[in-house]
mmCIF file with all atom_site columns, all heavy atoms in Angstrom:
data_model
loop_
_atom_site.group_PDB
_atom_site.id
_atom_site.type_symbol
_atom_site.label_atom_id
_atom_site.label_alt_id
_atom_site.label_comp_id
_atom_site.label_asym_id
_atom_site.label_entity_id
_atom_site.label_seq_id
_atom_site.pdbx_PDB_ins_code
_atom_site.Cartn_x
_atom_site.Cartn_y
_atom_site.Cartn_z
_atom_site.occupancy
_atom_site.B_iso_or_equiv
_atom_site.pdbx_formal_charge
_atom_site.auth_seq_id
_atom_site.auth_comp_id
_atom_site.auth_asym_id
_atom_site.auth_atom_id
_atom_site.pdbx_PDB_model_num
ATOM 1   N N   . ASP C 1 1  ? 144.282 83.874  -189.782 1.00 82.00 ? 1134 ASP C N   1
ATOM 2   C CA  . ASP C 1 1  ? 143.979 85.183  -189.250 1.00 82.00 ? 1134 ASP C CA  1
ATOM 3   C C   . ASP C 1 1  ? 142.796 85.176  -188.295 1.00 82.00 ? 1134 ASP C C   1
ATOM 4   O O   . ASP C 1 1  ? 141.668 85.524  -188.669 1.00 82.00 ? 1134 ASP C O   1
ATOM 5   C CB  . ASP C 1 1  ? 143.740 86.155  -190.444 1.00 82.00 ? 1134 ASP C CB  1
ATOM 6   C CG  . ASP C 1 1  ? 143.831 87.614  -190.025 1.00 82.00 ? 1134 ASP C CG  1
ATOM 7   O OD1 . ASP C 1 1  ? 144.458 87.918  -189.036 1.00 82.00 ? 1134 ASP C OD1 1
ATOM 8   O OD2 . ASP C 1 1  ? 143.219 88.450  -190.762 1.00 82.00 ? 1134 ASP C OD2 1
ATOM 9   N N   . THR C 1 2  ? 143.033 84.758  -187.058 1.00 84.00 ? 1135 THR C N   1
ATOM 10  C CA  . THR C 1 2  ? 141.983 84.607  -186.054 1.00 84.00 ? 1135 THR C CA  1
ATOM 11  C C   . THR C 1 2  ? 142.372 85.483  -184.867 1.00 84.00 ? 1135 THR C C   1
ATOM 12  O O   . THR C 1 2  ? 143.578 85.718  -184.641 1.00 84.00 ? 1135 THR C O   1
ATOM 13  C CB  . THR C 1 2  ? 141.804 83.149  -185.671 1.00 84.00 ? 1135 THR C CB  1
ATOM 14  O OG1 . THR C 1 2  ? 142.979 82.707  -184.968 1.00 84.00 ? 1135 THR C OG1 1
ATOM 15  C CG2 . THR C 1 2  ? 141.472 82.268  -186.820 1.00 84.00 ? 1135 THR C CG2 1
ATOM 16  N N   . PRO C 1 3  ? 141.418 85.791  -184.056 1.00 85.00 ? 1136 PRO C N   1
ATOM 17  C CA  . PRO C 1 3  ? 141.780 86.551  -182.774 1.00 85.00 ? 1136 PRO C CA  1
ATOM 18  C C   . PRO C 1 3  ? 142.705 85.795  -181.913 1.00 85.00 ? 1136 PRO C C   1
ATOM 19  O O   . PRO C 1 3  ? 143.592 86.385  -181.310 1.00 85.00 ? 1136 PRO C O   1
ATOM 20  C CB  . PRO C 1 3  ? 140.416 86.842  -182.161 1.00 85.00 ? 1136 PRO C CB  1
ATOM 21  C CG  . PRO C 1 3  ? 139.356 86.750  -183.262 1.00 85.00 ? 1136 PRO C CG  1
ATOM 22  C CD  . PRO C 1 3  ? 139.964 85.743  -184.251 1.00 85.00 ? 1136 PRO C CD  1
ATOM 23  N N   . MET C 1 4  ? 142.621 84.472  -181.825 1.00 87.00 ? 1137 MET C N   1
ATOM 24  C CA  . MET C 1 4  ? 143.429 83.656  -181.002 1.00 87.00 ? 1137 MET C CA  1
ATOM 25  C C   . MET C 1 4  ? 144.916 83.710  -181.544 1.00 87.00 ? 1137 MET C C   1
ATOM 26  O O   . MET C 1 4  ? 145.856 83.926  -180.735 1.00 87.00 ? 1137 MET C O   1
ATOM 27  C CB  . MET C 1 4  ? 142.950 82.242  -180.939 1.00 87.00 ? 1137 MET C CB  1
ATOM 28  C CG  . MET C 1 4  ? 143.913 81.320  -180.143 1.00 87.00 ? 1137 MET C CG  1
ATOM 29  S SD  . MET C 1 4  ? 144.046 81.757  -178.437 1.00 87.00 ? 1137 MET C SD  1
ATOM 30  C CE  . MET C 1 4  ? 142.555 81.208  -177.808 1.00 87.00 ? 1137 MET C CE  1
ATOM 31  N N   . HIS C 1 5  ? 145.143 83.576  -182.813 1.00 89.00 ? 1138 HIS C N   1
ATOM 32  C CA  . HIS C 1 5  ? 146.457 83.615  -183.348 1.00 89.00 ? 1138 HIS C CA  1
ATOM 33  C C   . HIS C 1 5  ? 147.102 85.077  -183.305 1.00 89.00 ? 1138 HIS C C   1
ATOM 34  O O   . HIS C 1 5  ? 148.228 85.205  -183.040 1.00 89.00 ? 1138 HIS C O   1
ATOM 35  C CB  . HIS C 1 5  ? 146.529 83.138  -184.842 1.00 89.00 ? 1138 HIS C CB  1
ATOM 36  C CG  . HIS C 1 5  ? 146.367 81.694  -184.929 1.00 89.00 ? 1138 HIS C CG  1
ATOM 37  N ND1 . HIS C 1 5  ? 145.743 81.051  -186.014 1.00 89.00 ? 1138 HIS C ND1 1
ATOM 38  C CD2 . HIS C 1 5  ? 146.704 80.693  -184.038 1.00 89.00 ? 1138 HIS C CD2 1
ATOM 39  C CE1 . HIS C 1 5  ? 145.745 79.780  -185.804 1.00 89.00 ? 1138 HIS C CE1 1
ATOM 40  N NE2 . HIS C 1 5  ? 146.318 79.513  -184.684 1.00 89.00 ? 1138 HIS C NE2 1
ATOM 41  N N   . ASP C 1 6  ? 146.231 86.075  -183.381 1.00 91.00 ? 1139 ASP C N   1
ATOM 42  C CA  . ASP C 1 6  ? 146.646 87.434  -183.168 1.00 91.00 ? 1139 ASP C CA  1
ATOM 43  C C   . ASP C 1 6  ? 147.211 87.608  -181.717 1.00 91.00 ? 1139 ASP C C   1
ATOM 44  O O   . ASP C 1 6  ? 148.277 88.183  -181.538 1.00 91.00 ? 1139 ASP C O   1
ATOM 45  C CB  . ASP C 1 6  ? 145.577 88.486  -183.404 1.00 91.00 ? 1139 ASP C CB  1
ATOM 46  C CG  . ASP C 1 6  ? 145.217 88.553  -184.883 1.00 91.00 ? 1139 ASP C CG  1
ATOM 47  O OD1 . ASP C 1 6  ? 146.015 88.162  -185.719 1.00 91.00 ? 1139 ASP C OD1 1
ATOM 48  O OD2 . ASP C 1 6  ? 144.147 89.145  -185.217 1.00 91.00 ? 1139 ASP C OD2 1
ATOM 49  N N   . LEU C 1 7  ? 146.427 87.082  -180.759 1.00 93.00 ? 1140 LEU C N   1
ATOM 50  C CA  . LEU C 1 7  ? 146.850 87.114  -179.303 1.00 93.00 ? 1140 LEU C CA  1
ATOM 51  C C   . LEU C 1 7  ? 148.164 86.330  -179.130 1.00 93.00 ? 1140 LEU C C   1
ATOM 52  O O   . LEU C 1 7  ? 149.050 86.792  -178.370 1.00 93.00 ? 1140 LEU C O   1
ATOM 53  C CB  . LEU C 1 7  ? 145.804 86.642  -178.432 1.00 93.00 ? 1140 LEU C CB  1
ATOM 54  C CG  . LEU C 1 7  ? 144.664 87.554  -178.132 1.00 93.00 ? 1140 LEU C CG  1
ATOM 55  C CD1 . LEU C 1 7  ? 143.615 86.920  -177.252 1.00 93.00 ? 1140 LEU C CD1 1
ATOM 56  C CD2 . LEU C 1 7  ? 145.132 88.785  -177.384 1.00 93.00 ? 1140 LEU C CD2 1
ATOM 57  N N   . GLN C 1 8  ? 148.287 85.165  -179.738 1.00 93.00 ? 1141 GLN C N   1
ATOM 58  C CA  . GLN C 1 8  ? 149.455 84.390  -179.622 1.00 93.00 ? 1141 GLN C CA  1
ATOM 59  C C   . GLN C 1 8  ? 150.717 85.151  -180.154 1.00 93.00 ? 1141 GLN C C   1
ATOM 60  O O   . GLN C 1 8  ? 151.799 85.157  -179.490 1.00 93.00 ? 1141 GLN C O   1
ATOM 61  C CB  . GLN C 1 8  ? 149.323 83.053  -180.381 1.00 93.00 ? 1141 GLN C CB  1
ATOM 62  C CG  . GLN C 1 8  ? 148.437 82.033  -179.640 1.00 93.00 ? 1141 GLN C CG  1
ATOM 63  C CD  . GLN C 1 8  ? 148.257 80.839  -180.498 1.00 93.00 ? 1141 GLN C CD  1
ATOM 64  O OE1 . GLN C 1 8  ? 148.350 80.848  -181.793 1.00 93.00 ? 1141 GLN C OE1 1
ATOM 65  N NE2 . GLN C 1 8  ? 147.975 79.778  -179.835 1.00 93.00 ? 1141 GLN C NE2 1
ATOM 66  N N   . ALA C 1 9  ? 150.535 85.809  -181.286 1.00 95.00 ? 1142 ALA C N   1
ATOM 67  C CA  . ALA C 1 9  ? 151.641 86.553  -181.847 1.00 95.00 ? 1142 ALA C CA  1
ATOM 68  C C   . ALA C 1 9  ? 152.015 87.757  -180.977 1.00 95.00 ? 1142 ALA C C   1
ATOM 69  O O   . ALA C 1 9  ? 153.232 88.046  -180.735 1.00 95.00 ? 1142 ALA C O   1
ATOM 70  C CB  . ALA C 1 9  ? 151.277 87.036  -183.250 1.00 95.00 ? 1142 ALA C CB  1
ATOM 71  N N   . LEU C 1 10 ? 151.063 88.525  -180.478 1.00 96.00 ? 1143 LEU C N   1
ATOM 72  C CA  . LEU C 1 10 ? 151.306 89.606  -179.571 1.00 96.00 ? 1143 LEU C CA  1
ATOM 73  C C   . LEU C 1 10 ? 151.961 89.166  -178.274 1.00 96.00 ? 1143 LEU C C   1
ATOM 74  O O   . LEU C 1 10 ? 152.914 89.794  -177.838 1.00 96.00 ? 1143 LEU C O   1
ATOM 75  C CB  . LEU C 1 10 ? 150.026 90.439  -179.314 1.00 96.00 ? 1143 LEU C CB  1
ATOM 76  C CG  . LEU C 1 10 ? 149.444 91.207  -180.482 1.00 96.00 ? 1143 LEU C CG  1
ATOM 77  C CD1 . LEU C 1 10 ? 148.066 91.731  -180.163 1.00 96.00 ? 1143 LEU C CD1 1
ATOM 78  C CD2 . LEU C 1 10 ? 150.359 92.276  -180.846 1.00 96.00 ? 1143 LEU C CD2 1
ATOM 79  N N   . GLY C 1 11 ? 151.468 88.079  -177.644 1.00 96.00 ? 1144 GLY C N   1
ATOM 80  C CA  . GLY C 1 11 ? 152.023 87.558  -176.460 1.00 96.00 ? 1144 GLY C CA  1
ATOM 81  C C   . GLY C 1 11 ? 153.463 87.108  -176.704 1.00 96.00 ? 1144 GLY C C   1
ATOM 82  O O   . GLY C 1 11 ? 154.383 87.363  -175.842 1.00 96.00 ? 1144 GLY C O   1
ATOM 83  N N   . PHE C 1 12 ? 153.754 86.436  -177.781 1.00 96.00 ? 1145 PHE C N   1
ATOM 84  C CA  . PHE C 1 12 ? 155.101 86.063  -178.118 1.00 96.00 ? 1145 PHE C CA  1
ATOM 85  C C   . PHE C 1 12 ? 155.998 87.286  -178.325 1.00 96.00 ? 1145 PHE C C   1
ATOM 86  O O   . PHE C 1 12 ? 157.097 87.345  -177.761 1.00 96.00 ? 1145 PHE C O   1
ATOM 87  C CB  . PHE C 1 12 ? 155.049 85.239  -179.478 1.00 96.00 ? 1145 PHE C CB  1
ATOM 88  C CG  . PHE C 1 12 ? 156.446 84.788  -179.912 1.00 96.00 ? 1145 PHE C CG  1
ATOM 89  C CD1 . PHE C 1 12 ? 157.081 83.734  -179.253 1.00 96.00 ? 1145 PHE C CD1 1
ATOM 90  C CD2 . PHE C 1 12 ? 157.099 85.451  -180.884 1.00 96.00 ? 1145 PHE C CD2 1
ATOM 91  C CE1 . PHE C 1 12 ? 158.347 83.284  -179.710 1.00 96.00 ? 1145 PHE C CE1 1
ATOM 92  C CE2 . PHE C 1 12 ? 158.379 85.068  -181.328 1.00 96.00 ? 1145 PHE C CE2 1
ATOM 93  C CZ  . PHE C 1 12 ? 159.017 83.957  -180.655 1.00 96.00 ? 1145 PHE C CZ  1
ATOM 94  N N   . ALA C 1 13 ? 155.531 88.274  -178.969 1.00 97.00 ? 1146 ALA C N   1
ATOM 95  C CA  . ALA C 1 13 ? 156.365 89.520  -179.190 1.00 97.00 ? 1146 ALA C CA  1
ATOM 96  C C   . ALA C 1 13 ? 156.688 90.165  -177.842 1.00 97.00 ? 1146 ALA C C   1
ATOM 97  O O   . ALA C 1 13 ? 157.769 90.677  -177.656 1.00 97.00 ? 1146 ALA C O   1
ATOM 98  C CB  . ALA C 1 13 ? 155.622 90.500  -180.137 1.00 97.00 ? 1146 ALA C CB  1
ATOM 99  N N   . VAL C 1 14 ? 155.705 90.257  -176.999 1.00 97.00 ? 1147 VAL C N   1
ATOM 100 C CA  . VAL C 1 14 ? 155.901 90.865  -175.636 1.00 97.00 ? 1147 VAL C CA  1
ATOM 101 C C   . VAL C 1 14 ? 157.019 90.083  -174.905 1.00 97.00 ? 1147 VAL C C   1
ATOM 102 O O   . VAL C 1 14 ? 157.905 90.664  -174.348 1.00 97.00 ? 1147 VAL C O   1
ATOM 103 C CB  . VAL C 1 14 ? 154.603 90.890  -174.835 1.00 97.00 ? 1147 VAL C CB  1
ATOM 104 C CG1 . VAL C 1 14 ? 154.873 91.243  -173.356 1.00 97.00 ? 1147 VAL C CG1 1
ATOM 105 C CG2 . VAL C 1 14 ? 153.691 91.907  -175.407 1.00 97.00 ? 1147 VAL C CG2 1
ATOM 106 N N   . GLN C 1 15 ? 156.954 88.725  -174.948 1.00 96.00 ? 1148 GLN C N   1
ATOM 107 C CA  . GLN C 1 15 ? 157.964 87.848  -174.241 1.00 96.00 ? 1148 GLN C CA  1
ATOM 108 C C   . GLN C 1 15 ? 159.343 88.069  -174.893 1.00 96.00 ? 1148 GLN C C   1
ATOM 109 O O   . GLN C 1 15 ? 160.363 88.279  -174.192 1.00 96.00 ? 1148 GLN C O   1
ATOM 110 C CB  . GLN C 1 15 ? 157.561 86.426  -174.349 1.00 96.00 ? 1148 GLN C CB  1
ATOM 111 C CG  . GLN C 1 15 ? 156.402 86.076  -173.433 1.00 96.00 ? 1148 GLN C CG  1
ATOM 112 C CD  . GLN C 1 15 ? 156.792 86.251  -171.966 1.00 96.00 ? 1148 GLN C CD  1
ATOM 113 O OE1 . GLN C 1 15 ? 157.802 85.984  -171.550 1.00 96.00 ? 1148 GLN C OE1 1
ATOM 114 N NE2 . GLN C 1 15 ? 155.836 86.777  -171.180 1.00 96.00 ? 1148 GLN C NE2 1
ATOM 115 N N   . GLU C 1 16 ? 159.366 88.038  -176.202 1.00 95.00 ? 1149 GLU C N   1
ATOM 116 C CA  . GLU C 1 16 ? 160.691 88.189  -176.915 1.00 95.00 ? 1149 GLU C CA  1
ATOM 117 C C   . GLU C 1 16 ? 161.356 89.542  -176.661 1.00 95.00 ? 1149 GLU C C   1
ATOM 118 O O   . GLU C 1 16 ? 162.494 89.607  -176.404 1.00 95.00 ? 1149 GLU C O   1
ATOM 119 C CB  . GLU C 1 16 ? 160.505 88.080  -178.427 1.00 95.00 ? 1149 GLU C CB  1
ATOM 120 C CG  . GLU C 1 16 ? 160.474 86.663  -178.944 1.00 95.00 ? 1149 GLU C CG  1
ATOM 121 C CD  . GLU C 1 16 ? 161.763 86.031  -179.033 1.00 95.00 ? 1149 GLU C CD  1
ATOM 122 O OE1 . GLU C 1 16 ? 162.562 86.253  -179.940 1.00 95.00 ? 1149 GLU C OE1 1
ATOM 123 O OE2 . GLU C 1 16 ? 162.152 85.296  -178.113 1.00 95.00 ? 1149 GLU C OE2 1
ATOM 124 N N   . LEU C 1 17 ? 160.546 90.584  -176.734 1.00 96.00 ? 1150 LEU C N   1
ATOM 125 C CA  . LEU C 1 17 ? 161.091 91.906  -176.479 1.00 96.00 ? 1150 LEU C CA  1
ATOM 126 C C   . LEU C 1 17 ? 161.482 92.143  -175.000 1.00 96.00 ? 1150 LEU C C   1
ATOM 127 O O   . LEU C 1 17 ? 162.472 92.728  -174.694 1.00 96.00 ? 1150 LEU C O   1
ATOM 128 C CB  . LEU C 1 17 ? 160.091 93.069  -176.886 1.00 96.00 ? 1150 LEU C CB  1
ATOM 129 C CG  . LEU C 1 17 ? 159.983 93.191  -178.413 1.00 96.00 ? 1150 LEU C CG  1
ATOM 130 C CD1 . LEU C 1 17 ? 158.800 94.042  -178.760 1.00 96.00 ? 1150 LEU C CD1 1
ATOM 131 C CD2 . LEU C 1 17 ? 161.268 93.835  -178.992 1.00 96.00 ? 1150 LEU C CD2 1
ATOM 132 N N   . GLY C 1 18 ? 160.684 91.536  -174.070 1.00 96.00 ? 1151 GLY C N   1
ATOM 133 C CA  . GLY C 1 18 ? 161.092 91.570  -172.715 1.00 96.00 ? 1151 GLY C CA  1
ATOM 134 C C   . GLY C 1 18 ? 162.410 90.885  -172.445 1.00 96.00 ? 1151 GLY C C   1
ATOM 135 O O   . GLY C 1 18 ? 163.240 91.456  -171.694 1.00 96.00 ? 1151 GLY C O   1
ATOM 136 N N   . LEU C 1 19 ? 162.650 89.733  -173.084 1.00 94.00 ? 1152 LEU C N   1
ATOM 137 C CA  . LEU C 1 19 ? 163.968 89.127  -172.911 1.00 94.00 ? 1152 LEU C CA  1
ATOM 138 C C   . LEU C 1 19 ? 165.065 89.941  -173.533 1.00 94.00 ? 1152 LEU C C   1
ATOM 139 O O   . LEU C 1 19 ? 166.162 90.011  -173.000 1.00 94.00 ? 1152 LEU C O   1
ATOM 140 C CB  . LEU C 1 19 ? 163.906 87.721  -173.597 1.00 94.00 ? 1152 LEU C CB  1
ATOM 141 C CG  . LEU C 1 19 ? 163.036 86.686  -172.913 1.00 94.00 ? 1152 LEU C CG  1
ATOM 142 C CD1 . LEU C 1 19 ? 162.866 85.446  -173.755 1.00 94.00 ? 1152 LEU C CD1 1
ATOM 143 C CD2 . LEU C 1 19 ? 163.569 86.341  -171.528 1.00 94.00 ? 1152 LEU C CD2 1
ATOM 144 N N   . TYR C 1 20 ? 164.826 90.535  -174.677 1.00 94.00 ? 1153 TYR C N   1
ATOM 145 C CA  . TYR C 1 20 ? 165.813 91.344  -175.363 1.00 94.00 ? 1153 TYR C CA  1
ATOM 146 C C   . TYR C 1 20 ? 166.149 92.571  -174.446 1.00 94.00 ? 1153 TYR C C   1
ATOM 147 O O   . TYR C 1 20 ? 167.309 92.923  -174.252 1.00 94.00 ? 1153 TYR C O   1
ATOM 148 C CB  . TYR C 1 20 ? 165.263 91.812  -176.700 1.00 94.00 ? 1153 TYR C CB  1
ATOM 149 C CG  . TYR C 1 20 ? 166.155 92.927  -177.330 1.00 94.00 ? 1153 TYR C CG  1
ATOM 150 C CD1 . TYR C 1 20 ? 167.307 92.614  -177.923 1.00 94.00 ? 1153 TYR C CD1 1
ATOM 151 C CD2 . TYR C 1 20 ? 165.799 94.231  -177.305 1.00 94.00 ? 1153 TYR C CD2 1
ATOM 152 C CE1 . TYR C 1 20 ? 168.137 93.541  -178.597 1.00 94.00 ? 1153 TYR C CE1 1
ATOM 153 C CE2 . TYR C 1 20 ? 166.538 95.207  -177.876 1.00 94.00 ? 1153 TYR C CE2 1
ATOM 154 C CZ  . TYR C 1 20 ? 167.702 94.866  -178.567 1.00 94.00 ? 1153 TYR C CZ  1
ATOM 155 O OH  . TYR C 1 20 ? 168.496 95.847  -179.115 1.00 94.00 ? 1153 TYR C OH  1
ATOM 156 N N   . LEU C 1 21 ? 165.123 93.162  -173.869 1.00 95.00 ? 1154 LEU C N   1
ATOM 157 C CA  . LEU C 1 21 ? 165.346 94.375  -173.028 1.00 95.00 ? 1154 LEU C CA  1
ATOM 158 C C   . LEU C 1 21 ? 166.096 94.032  -171.774 1.00 95.00 ? 1154 LEU C C   1
ATOM 159 O O   . LEU C 1 21 ? 166.704 94.933  -171.107 1.00 95.00 ? 1154 LEU C O   1
ATOM 160 C CB  . LEU C 1 21 ? 163.996 95.107  -172.750 1.00 95.00 ? 1154 LEU C CB  1
ATOM 161 C CG  . LEU C 1 21 ? 163.437 95.781  -173.956 1.00 95.00 ? 1154 LEU C CG  1
ATOM 162 C CD1 . LEU C 1 21 ? 161.961 96.195  -173.690 1.00 95.00 ? 1154 LEU C CD1 1
ATOM 163 C CD2 . LEU C 1 21 ? 164.273 96.986  -174.368 1.00 95.00 ? 1154 LEU C CD2 1
ATOM 164 N N   . ASP C 1 22 ? 166.014 92.769  -171.249 1.00 93.00 ? 1155 ASP C N   1
ATOM 165 C CA  . ASP C 1 22 ? 166.850 92.339  -170.111 1.00 93.00 ? 1155 ASP C CA  1
ATOM 166 C C   . ASP C 1 22 ? 168.313 92.590  -170.402 1.00 93.00 ? 1155 ASP C C   1
ATOM 167 O O   . ASP C 1 22 ? 169.031 92.912  -169.386 1.00 93.00 ? 1155 ASP C O   1
ATOM 168 C CB  . ASP C 1 22 ? 166.637 90.874  -169.891 1.00 93.00 ? 1155 ASP C CB  1
ATOM 169 C CG  . ASP C 1 22 ? 165.329 90.515  -169.241 1.00 93.00 ? 1155 ASP C CG  1
ATOM 170 O OD1 . ASP C 1 22 ? 164.631 91.446  -168.758 1.00 93.00 ? 1155 ASP C OD1 1
ATOM 171 O OD2 . ASP C 1 22 ? 164.984 89.324  -169.142 1.00 93.00 ? 1155 ASP C OD2 1
ATOM 172 N N   . THR C 1 23 ? 168.738 92.477  -171.584 1.00 91.00 ? 1156 THR C N   1
ATOM 173 C CA  . THR C 1 23 ? 170.201 92.671  -171.909 1.00 91.00 ? 1156 THR C CA  1
ATOM 174 C C   . THR C 1 23 ? 170.527 93.908  -172.686 1.00 91.00 ? 1156 THR C C   1
ATOM 175 O O   . THR C 1 23 ? 171.658 94.220  -172.977 1.00 91.00 ? 1156 THR C O   1
ATOM 176 C CB  . THR C 1 23 ? 170.785 91.443  -172.635 1.00 91.00 ? 1156 THR C CB  1
ATOM 177 O OG1 . THR C 1 23 ? 169.996 91.237  -173.838 1.00 91.00 ? 1156 THR C OG1 1
ATOM 178 C CG2 . THR C 1 23 ? 170.750 90.168  -171.777 1.00 91.00 ? 1156 THR C CG2 1
ATOM 179 N N   . HIS C 1 24 ? 169.458 94.626  -173.114 1.00 93.00 ? 1157 HIS C N   1
ATOM 180 C CA  . HIS C 1 24 ? 169.626 95.836  -173.981 1.00 93.00 ? 1157 HIS C CA  1
ATOM 181 C C   . HIS C 1 24 ? 168.686 96.962  -173.382 1.00 93.00 ? 1157 HIS C C   1
ATOM 182 O O   . HIS C 1 24 ? 167.874 97.456  -174.170 1.00 93.00 ? 1157 HIS C O   1
ATOM 183 C CB  . HIS C 1 24 ? 169.347 95.568  -175.409 1.00 93.00 ? 1157 HIS C CB  1
ATOM 184 C CG  . HIS C 1 24 ? 170.240 94.507  -176.048 1.00 93.00 ? 1157 HIS C CG  1
ATOM 185 N ND1 . HIS C 1 24 ? 170.144 93.214  -175.825 1.00 93.00 ? 1157 HIS C ND1 1
ATOM 186 C CD2 . HIS C 1 24 ? 171.300 94.689  -176.900 1.00 93.00 ? 1157 HIS C CD2 1
ATOM 187 C CE1 . HIS C 1 24 ? 171.112 92.531  -176.473 1.00 93.00 ? 1157 HIS C CE1 1
ATOM 188 N NE2 . HIS C 1 24 ? 171.830 93.484  -177.128 1.00 93.00 ? 1157 HIS C NE2 1
ATOM 189 N N   . ALA C 1 25 ? 168.831 97.240  -172.144 1.00 93.00 ? 1158 ALA C N   1
ATOM 190 C CA  . ALA C 1 25 ? 167.882 98.148  -171.507 1.00 93.00 ? 1158 ALA C CA  1
ATOM 191 C C   . ALA C 1 25 ? 167.955 99.562  -172.087 1.00 93.00 ? 1158 ALA C C   1
ATOM 192 O O   . ALA C 1 25 ? 166.998 100.338 -171.924 1.00 93.00 ? 1158 ALA C O   1
ATOM 193 C CB  . ALA C 1 25 ? 168.204 98.216  -170.003 1.00 93.00 ? 1158 ALA C CB  1
ATOM 194 N N   . ASP C 1 26 ? 168.972 99.885  -172.769 1.00 93.00 ? 1159 ASP C N   1
ATOM 195 C CA  . ASP C 1 26 ? 169.188 101.227 -173.328 1.00 93.00 ? 1159 ASP C CA  1
ATOM 196 C C   . ASP C 1 26 ? 168.549 101.396 -174.755 1.00 93.00 ? 1159 ASP C C   1
ATOM 197 O O   . ASP C 1 26 ? 168.642 102.416 -175.360 1.00 93.00 ? 1159 ASP C O   1
ATOM 198 C CB  . ASP C 1 26 ? 170.566 101.682 -173.353 1.00 93.00 ? 1159 ASP C CB  1
ATOM 199 C CG  . ASP C 1 26 ? 171.489 100.728 -174.138 1.00 93.00 ? 1159 ASP C CG  1
ATOM 200 O OD1 . ASP C 1 26 ? 171.068 99.561  -174.387 1.00 93.00 ? 1159 ASP C OD1 1
ATOM 201 O OD2 . ASP C 1 26 ? 172.601 101.106 -174.564 1.00 93.00 ? 1159 ASP C OD2 1
ATOM 202 N N   . ASP C 1 27 ? 167.905 100.365 -175.265 1.00 94.00 ? 1160 ASP C N   1
ATOM 203 C CA  . ASP C 1 27 ? 167.326 100.443 -176.619 1.00 94.00 ? 1160 ASP C CA  1
ATOM 204 C C   . ASP C 1 27 ? 165.981 100.969 -176.524 1.00 94.00 ? 1160 ASP C C   1
ATOM 205 O O   . ASP C 1 27 ? 164.964 100.289 -176.237 1.00 94.00 ? 1160 ASP C O   1
ATOM 206 C CB  . ASP C 1 27 ? 167.318 99.005  -177.263 1.00 94.00 ? 1160 ASP C CB  1
ATOM 207 C CG  . ASP C 1 27 ? 166.940 99.016  -178.698 1.00 94.00 ? 1160 ASP C CG  1
ATOM 208 O OD1 . ASP C 1 27 ? 166.239 100.006 -179.167 1.00 94.00 ? 1160 ASP C OD1 1
ATOM 209 O OD2 . ASP C 1 27 ? 167.308 98.068  -179.454 1.00 94.00 ? 1160 ASP C OD2 1
ATOM 210 N N   . ALA C 1 28 ? 165.885 102.326 -176.675 1.00 94.00 ? 1161 ALA C N   1
ATOM 211 C CA  . ALA C 1 28 ? 164.550 103.029 -176.514 1.00 94.00 ? 1161 ALA C CA  1
ATOM 212 C C   . ALA C 1 28 ? 163.517 102.599 -177.565 1.00 94.00 ? 1161 ALA C C   1
ATOM 213 O O   . ALA C 1 28 ? 162.355 102.518 -177.193 1.00 94.00 ? 1161 ALA C O   1
ATOM 214 C CB  . ALA C 1 28 ? 164.784 104.559 -176.570 1.00 94.00 ? 1161 ALA C CB  1
ATOM 215 N N   . GLU C 1 29 ? 164.004 102.319 -178.738 1.00 94.00 ? 1162 GLU C N   1
ATOM 216 C CA  . GLU C 1 29 ? 163.059 101.900 -179.818 1.00 94.00 ? 1162 GLU C CA  1
ATOM 217 C C   . GLU C 1 29 ? 162.369 100.561 -179.448 1.00 94.00 ? 1162 GLU C C   1
ATOM 218 O O   . GLU C 1 29 ? 161.147 100.367 -179.595 1.00 94.00 ? 1162 GLU C O   1
ATOM 219 C CB  . GLU C 1 29 ? 163.689 101.729 -181.103 1.00 94.00 ? 1162 GLU C CB  1
ATOM 220 C CG  . GLU C 1 29 ? 162.780 101.504 -182.319 1.00 94.00 ? 1162 GLU C CG  1
ATOM 221 C CD  . GLU C 1 29 ? 163.494 101.357 -183.630 1.00 94.00 ? 1162 GLU C CD  1
ATOM 222 O OE1 . GLU C 1 29 ? 164.574 102.055 -183.816 1.00 94.00 ? 1162 GLU C OE1 1
ATOM 223 O OE2 . GLU C 1 29 ? 163.071 100.634 -184.449 1.00 94.00 ? 1162 GLU C OE2 1
ATOM 224 N N   . ALA C 1 30 ? 163.148 99.614  -178.948 1.00 94.00 ? 1163 ALA C N   1
ATOM 225 C CA  . ALA C 1 30 ? 162.615 98.303  -178.552 1.00 94.00 ? 1163 ALA C CA  1
ATOM 226 C C   . ALA C 1 30 ? 161.672 98.482  -177.334 1.00 94.00 ? 1163 ALA C C   1
ATOM 227 O O   . ALA C 1 30 ? 160.657 97.788  -177.237 1.00 94.00 ? 1163 ALA C O   1
ATOM 228 C CB  . ALA C 1 30 ? 163.748 97.365  -178.198 1.00 94.00 ? 1163 ALA C CB  1
ATOM 229 N N   . ALA C 1 31 ? 162.027 99.341  -176.413 1.00 96.00 ? 1164 ALA C N   1
ATOM 230 C CA  . ALA C 1 31 ? 161.215 99.597  -175.239 1.00 96.00 ? 1164 ALA C CA  1
ATOM 231 C C   . ALA C 1 31 ? 159.811 100.184 -175.634 1.00 96.00 ? 1164 ALA C C   1
ATOM 232 O O   . ALA C 1 31 ? 158.760 99.723  -175.140 1.00 96.00 ? 1164 ALA C O   1
ATOM 233 C CB  . ALA C 1 31 ? 161.883 100.497 -174.229 1.00 96.00 ? 1164 ALA C CB  1
ATOM 234 N N   . GLU C 1 32 ? 159.873 101.075 -176.636 1.00 96.00 ? 1165 GLU C N   1
ATOM 235 C CA  . GLU C 1 32 ? 158.598 101.710 -177.120 1.00 96.00 ? 1165 GLU C CA  1
ATOM 236 C C   . GLU C 1 32 ? 157.782 100.606 -177.833 1.00 96.00 ? 1165 GLU C C   1
ATOM 237 O O   . GLU C 1 32 ? 156.531 100.482 -177.702 1.00 96.00 ? 1165 GLU C O   1
ATOM 238 C CB  . GLU C 1 32 ? 158.944 102.809 -178.124 1.00 96.00 ? 1165 GLU C CB  1
ATOM 239 C CG  . GLU C 1 32 ? 157.756 103.530 -178.690 1.00 96.00 ? 1165 GLU C CG  1
ATOM 240 C CD  . GLU C 1 32 ? 158.120 104.596 -179.678 1.00 96.00 ? 1165 GLU C CD  1
ATOM 241 O OE1 . GLU C 1 32 ? 159.076 105.341 -179.345 1.00 96.00 ? 1165 GLU C OE1 1
ATOM 242 O OE2 . GLU C 1 32 ? 157.440 104.619 -180.732 1.00 96.00 ? 1165 GLU C OE2 1
#
């Protein structure tokens, strides 16, 4: 539980959700 690992997890989540939204642009919950 370090600031670096928190940033890694957030950065990963942003990338994953961005890729998901590439093919599921109408998923408002994921966009939020």
Side-chain angles (χ1 to χ4, degrees):
D1134 195 21
T1135 64
M1137 177 62 76
H1138 287 150
D1139 289 344
L1140 281 175
Q1141 288 175 331
L1143 290 170
F1145 178 79
V1147 169
Q1148 289 295 320
E1149 277 282 280
L1150 286 167
L1152 291 170
Y1153 170 78
L1154 288 168
D1155 283 347
T1156 57
H1157 297 77
D1159 58 340
D1160 189 335
E1162 185 180 329
E1165 182 181 315

